[in-house]
Amino acid sequence: MTDFSLLGEAAYVVFYILYFSLIFSIALVIILDNRNPVKTMAWILVLFFLPVVGLVFYFFFGRSTRKERLISRKGYSRLRKRPMAEFQAQLSLPVSKDQHILMGFFRRTCNALTFEGNALAIHTDGASMLLDLIREVSKARHHIHLEFYIFENDATGRLLRDILIDKAREGVKIRVLYDDVGCWKVDRAFYEQMLFEGIDAQSFLKVRFPQFTSKVNYRNHRKIVVIDGKVGFIGGMNIADRYIKGTSWGPWRDTHVKLSGKAVYGLQTAFLTDWYVVDRTLLTGEVYYPKMREKGTVVAQIVTSDPVGEWREMMQGIMMAISSARKYFYVQTPYLLPTEQILTALQTAALAGIDVRIMIPKKADTWLTHKGSFSYLDMLMKAGVRIYLYRKGFLHSKLMVSDDRWSTVGSTNMDFRSFEHNFEANAFFYDKETALALKNIFLEDQKKCMFLVPKMWAARSWSNRFTESVVRLLAPLL
């Protein structure tokens, strides 16, 4: 009996030595990866205080893939050949020096080209966006490219799917790209029906064992549509009923834009790059980049960011934009979990006397991230940032505008996940007319908000403060 007890104790000792050696080794790998120090500390804390949960979460969500190459330089150069020729044929763009610096940053870090002469239509509700999308899809003659984080099997999803099937039967080539994690709950038969009808529907970075742990954390959050290479859509809306009907506590407020003009080349390049990642087919023909005349007066640049590049393009660009603000900087975001750099930039701008306003939903669709968002409000308000809580439903809009001369709409949230882990896409606009239009949308939404008074916020319960602070420790991992 004693021998068995000693054997059991020895087994326990060996197990714990191996177990904690594994944790220590992973912690060492995280440290040597030279990540954001805040993120590094968050992972180490999770590993040591919740070792079993920490190990599982690290293998699923923690490993970095920044050094991977999804597409070769040669292949990407072929994709950009025609847009680059059109870009170089332009005369000097009518923008300020500060705008040129931001444009140049995006061009150097993510090869984003800027085009003038675009037309823009702004949608602030799902119904109008869907109707406009259906209208443009019905006009397609050669190809339709759709890329969404969520393409749901519900009334809205089936409506669009059936319209796409009709176009496929007319001979229009249709490619659909959806995120594998974003559409986990969607029955595969929904997409198989598209495939059966000749629509090429594929998921982005399929999450399957044994590759599961290397892909689940890097998701394609982009919302892009390109029709015949001439018209495109980009913004925050996916294809699902809730974007039309809203939530149980009110309407769904979002922002999406339709673009006509050469800026669509940027949307096309983003889509075809992602398509190459999943299909390994490089589509570079002239039919995907047709010749276009000027459609309007909007100066636009399509900016993409991803977790596998050398730079954090979107985060760094937004930092530059905040720092260059001279009068005001307005932000709408459903999730406010800013990196230390963005947080400091917002505080610095407010302390310098810039009118910085941030609008987030009063009630959100995700309890954990919403609690984390609330933990940042104290220090923002102390610096002079004005906080507005949107009360009429759920605010899912990702909108920024500054100084009546710069604005952006897209898929990027003001959080770690968008800046560090997701494949994102935003349209940046460098003209007064668009900036004023988006500013007015922000100010109209402000009427439906509760202005957060610092004294009132400071009076919230101790339990709320504690919960928010605990969740904030996990902010870099959410």
Side-chain angles (χ1 to χ4, degrees):
M1 192 73 174
T2 305
D3 290 341
F4 282 114
S5 298
L6 290 172
L7 188 62
E9 288 179 9
Y12 276 120
V13 171
V14 171
F15 171 78
Y16 280 113
I17 289 173
L18 292 174
Y19 181 74
F20 285 106
S21 295
L22 178 61
I23 291 176
F24 180 79
S25 300
I26 292 173
L28 189 61
V29 169
I30 294 171
I31 292 169
L32 293 175
D33 198 33
N34 289 321
R35 304 183 185 195
N36 181 328
V38 176
K39 197 169 183 181
T40 298
M41 287 305 301
W43 275 117
I44 291 173
L45 285 171
V46 169
L47 283 170
F48 278 96
F49 287 101
L50 297 170
V52 177
V53 175
L55 281 174
V56 173
F57 266 70
Y58 178 75
F59 279 111
F60 284 177
F61 305 112
R63 292 191 289 173
S64 175
T65 60
R66 280 185 194 175
K67 297 179 178 65
E68 292 181 5
R69 299 196 70 84
L70 297 180
I71 184 170
S72 69
R73 290 183 183 275
K74 183 178 179 181
Y76 194 71
S77 295
R78 286 177 60 188
L79 277 174
R80 295 178 66 245
K81 183 178 180 181
R82 296 179 194 277
M84 179 59 78
E86 294 289 342
F87 171 78
Q88 292 172 336
Q90 290 182 129
L91 300 175
S92 58
L93 295 167
V95 295
S96 69
K97 183 179 178 181
D98 284 347
Q99 290 171 312
H100 263 301
I101 291 172
L102 187 59
M103 288 177 186
F105 169 80
F106 284 134
R107 184 183 170 190
R108 283 185 286 274
T109 57
C110 56
N111 298 305
L113 304 178
T114 309
F115 292 98
E116 59 181 336
N118 300 284
L120 180 72
I122 304 171
H123 295 286
T124 57
D125 67 274
S128 68
M129 191 282 283
L130 183 64
L131 287 173
D132 201 4
L133 176 60
I134 291 172
R135 188 182 305 114
E136 295 298 338
V137 164
S138 68
K139 299 176 186 176
R141 294 294 176 265
H142 182 264
H143 67 270
I144 300 169
H145 293 159
L146 299 99
E147 178 173 357
F148 287 99
Y149 178 65
I150 298 170
F151 197 142
E152 199 72 71
N153 181 15
D154 55 20
T156 301
R158 289 189 291 273
L159 172 63
L160 183 58
R161 180 199 62 183
D162 292 346
I163 292 169
L164 292 173
I165 288 172
D166 289 341
K167 296 303 295 184
R169 290 172 178 172
E170 293 176 10
V172 176
K173 180 58 182 177
I174 302 173
R175 298 177 179 89
V176 174
L177 192 58
Y178 59 92
D179 188 78
D180 200 59
V181 172
C183 298
W184 254 348
K185 297 179 181 179
V186 180
D187 187 348
R188 297 298 136 177
F190 177 71
Y191 303 113
E192 289 171 1
Q193 178 67 24
M194 295 188 197
L195 292 168
F196 180 77
E197 294 287 351
I199 297 172
D200 202 347
Q202 299 202 40
S203 62
F204 188 84
L205 293 185
K206 288 184 179 179
V207 180
R208 301 289 185 270
F209 285 102
Q211 293 83 14
F212 178 76
T213 59
S214 65
K215 295 181 179 180
V216 70
N217 203 31
Y218 300 99
R219 306 318 319 159
N220 195 323
H221 196 238
R222 296 169 183 165
K223 292 90 174 167
I224 292 173
V225 176
V226 180
I227 299 165
D228 288 343
K230 298 178 180 179
V231 176
F233 291 78
I234 184 172
M237 300 186 202
N238 289 294
I239 303 301
D241 278 350
R242 57 187 175 277
Y243 291 83
I244 312 297
K245 298 178 179 179
T247 66
S248 59
W249 66 89
W252 189 286
R253 167 67 186 87
D254 220 322
T255 307
H256 218 85
V257 297
K258 178 177 75 173
L259 275 170
S260 303
K262 294 180 182 179
V264 177
Y265 293 157
L267 295 175
Q268 187 77 287
T269 301
F271 178 88
L272 292 178
T273 301
D274 289 345
W275 189 257
Y276 176 81
V277 171
V278 300
D279 192 65
R280 312 314 291 178
T281 302
L282 194 62
L283 304 171
T284 60
E286 186 176 357
V287 70
Y288 298 109
Y289 297 98
K291 290 281 185 180
M292 282 187 278
R293 296 178 180 177
E294 289 192 356
K295 303 290 184 178
T297 59
V298 176
V299 179
Q301 183 179 30
I302 305 302
V303 176
T304 59
S305 65
D306 59 61
V308 299
E310 185 176 0
W311 308 108
R312 302 278 69 86
E313 303 94 342
M314 204 71 76
M315 183 190 75
Q316 291 171 283
I318 291 171
M319 281 173 57
M320 286 184 63
I322 297 170
S323 300
S324 67
R326 295 296 175 265
K327 296 179 181 178
Y328 73 87
F329 193 91
Y330 297 167
V331 179
Q332 284 185 335
T333 180
Y335 315 113
L336 181 65
L337 298 165
T339 60
E340 197 66 30
Q341 298 93 323
I342 292 293
L343 180 63
T344 301
L346 291 167
Q347 290 172 309
T348 303
L351 288 167
I354 308 301
D355 179 12
V356 181
R357 305 184 190 185
I358 299 176
M359 189 182 298
I360 62 174
K362 187 174 186 295
K363 186 175 181 181
D365 60 341
T366 307
W367 180 87
L368 196 63
T369 55
H370 204 48
K371 280 293 182 183
S373 294
F374 284 166
S375 72
Y376 290 89
L377 302 188
D378 270 323
M379 57 177 51
L380 285 166
M381 287 189 288
K382 283 179 183 177
V385 176
R386 298 166 68 88
I387 304 295
Y388 294 86
L389 302 182
Y390 187 82
R391 295 187 293 187
K392 193 178 179 181
F394 178 47
L395 179 75
H396 191 254
S397 172
K398 304 97 163 49
L399 179 158
M400 284 174 260
V401 59
S402 179
D403 293 352
D404 295 350
R405 61 188 178 87
W406 171 94
S407 55
T408 183
V409 170
S411 64
T412 307
N413 296 310
M414 191 72 81
D415 65 2
F416 280 88
R417 175 150 295 281
S418 278
F419 293 145
E420 297 277 348
H421 299 306
N422 287 345
F423 292 77
E424 304 283 6
N426 271 49
F428 283 74
F429 306 111
Y430 304 94
D431 64 285
K432 185 175 182 178
E433 184 180 353
T434 305
L436 287 174
L438 292 172
K439 177 186 179 182
N440 288 334
I441 288 171
F442 183 97
L443 294 175
E444 282 299 311
D445 287 335
Q446 191 175 292
K447 298 175 183 176
K448 303 165 188 173
C449 290
M450 177 179 76
F451 174 60
L452 203 58
V453 180
K455 285 186 178 180
M456 178 183 71
W457 186 244
R460 71 195 187 282
S461 69
W462 180 87
S463 60
N464 277 332
R465 288 167 175 262
F466 178 76
T467 305
E468 292 160 10
S469 297
V470 170
V471 174
R472 173 151 176 183
L473 292 174
L474 303 175
L477 316 181
L478 295 176

